[in-house]
Amino acid sequence: MLIDRAVVEVRSGNGGNGAISFLQEKNMPKGGPDGGNGGKGGSVYLIAKKNVNTLLAYRHSKVLQAMDGGKGDKKMRSGKNAEDVIAEVPVGTLVYQEEGNLLLADLSQEGQMVCVAKGGRGGRGNAAFKTSRLRIPRIAENGHPGERKRLILELKLVADAGLIGFPSVGKSTFLNIVSKANVATADYPFTTLIPNLGVVTLPDSYSQFVLADMPGLIEGAHEGKGLGISFLRHIERCRVLVHMVSMGGERD
Ligand SMILES: Nc1nc2c(ncn2[C@@H]2O[C@H](COP(=O)(O)OP(=O)(O)OP(=O)(O)O)[C@@H](O)[C@H]2O)c(=O)[nH]1
Ligand SMILES: [Mg+2]
């Protein structure tokens, strides 16, 4: 199975409620309002990372959830802001909102980050409602709710050149020779199940480009034959396609 698509649910935290409280001290029995504000709910972010190669991690942990903000407290104490959740995805990940199939982000650069669920704002405590007219406010705000969304993550490799061709024509062998990649090669078809990347350094030793080795392509792939069309999305972003042809004669 190609790990290049995953469905995840993201949930940001609710904001904490504001507090209703009045200062009570021996020498000041009727102190003013001192209810603090609620803390912010945590947000969920996705960040593109070069060292992450697949969406495999999202096959198993399908929910990314941030915590709720803390409640406000007496003595003007604000609730704790919840920590954000920052999840790493491969460079080249497209992020869609499932509802409406809306493209939210195209994470094509290392370190690029997108907020996919914003944490709820904390509610204001009653101290914030004090005015010259309203000296004893008995009201506070509830925290704002967090968001919940289902996302579709889709990985398209970002490569300069892509190697395509029938199974077992030597695509992976070629990649291993021209780059430092060390991918499996064997004399049976469909040895390569997921695309592999290698960095090719040119003889001037300054210029480099990224070469992608693809699974074998057979006639009818666009109709689902062989490994089907699911990996073809990876070659859409290659600037050059190199079609390898075996010189060994007719295949059986
Ligand atoms: N005779 C000969 N054999 C080769 C050559 N290049 C690769 N091979 C052999 O051909 C077989 C298939 O090579 P791979 O590199 O795995 O081929 P591939 O195109 O990546 O195959 P899939 O991943 O299955 O699509 C291996 O046993 C290689 O050792 C070549 O130039 N000459
Ligand atoms: Mg191969």
Side-chain angles (χ1 to χ4, degrees):
M1 195 192 327
L2 292 167
I3 310 299
D4 53 7
R5 196 169 181 278
V7 180
V8 288
E9 183 169 322
V10 290
R11 299 178 197 161
S12 55
N14 301 323
N17 295 339
I20 299 181
S21 161
F22 295 93
L23 184 66
Q24 280 181 329
E25 289 194 339
K26 274 185 187 153
N27 55 348
M28 233 203 286
K30 281 192 181 169
D34 72 346
N37 300 335
K40 198 174 106 24
S43 299
V44 182
Y45 292 88
L46 298 180
I47 185 169
K49 284 282 177 186
K50 271 193 199 141
N51 58 343
V52 181
N53 295 316
T54 66
L55 292 169
L56 185 66
Y58 300 96
R59 295 251 141 186
H60 305 294
S61 68
K62 290 192 168 171
V63 179
L64 297 173
Q65 183 163 20
M67 304 288 278
D68 296 339
K71 297 196 295 262
D73 207 346
K74 57 191 175 193
K75 296 189 178 163
M76 303 288 281
R77 278 200 290 263
S78 299
K80 226 176 135 185
N81 291 335
E83 272 187 37
D84 295 330
V85 168
I86 302 175
E88 298 186 347
V89 295
V91 172
T93 300
L94 294 171
V95 184
Y96 293 91
Q97 178 177 310
E98 195 181 54
E99 197 184 330
N101 207 23
L102 193 74
L103 180 66
L104 299 182
D106 176 356
L107 300 175
S108 56
Q109 307 275 327
E110 164 78 9
Q112 203 180 332
M113 196 149 98
V114 60
C115 178
V116 286
K118 197 166 161 34
R121 238 181 39 215
R124 285 176 296 167
N126 69 338
F129 289 90
K130 186 183 168 188
T131 60
S132 52
R133 288 188 180 184
L134 185 64
R135 291 186 173 273
I136 311 175
R138 291 184 199 280
I139 46 168
E141 260 175 350
N142 281 339
H144 292 230
E147 294 182 303
R148 229 171 227 240
K149 272 180 219 164
R150 274 166 65 86
L151 302 180
I152 297 169
L153 306 181
E154 199 177 87
L155 175 60
K156 286 192 186 183
L157 295 180
V158 183
D160 300 297
L163 278 172
I164 55 169
F166 275 129
S168 298
V169 293
K171 300 182 293 300
S172 301
T173 307
F174 183 77
L175 178 79
N176 285 345
I177 289 171
V178 298
S179 76
K180 285 193 176 135
N182 184 17
V183 308
T185 61
D187 59 359
Y188 55 84
F190 301 116
T191 309
T192 305
L193 296 175
I194 58 170
N196 301 299
L197 292 181
V199 177
V200 183
T201 305
L202 297 181
D204 66 13
S205 73
Y206 293 111
S207 341
Q208 292 187 323
F209 69 92
V210 176
L211 180 63
D213 162 40
M214 295 292 156
L217 189 58
I218 60 169
E219 196 175 335
H222 65 289
E223 292 165 343
K225 294 222 176 95
L227 285 183
I229 61 167
S230 51
F231 69 86
L232 294 182
R233 77 185 82 209
H234 297 300
I235 59 180
E236 276 177 14
R237 287 197 175 185
C238 297
R239 282 192 287 155
V240 177
L241 293 178
V242 180
H243 196 159
M244 280 199 75
V245 180
S246 168
M247 303 300 281
E250 276 300 295
R251 289 160 35 86
D252 54 20

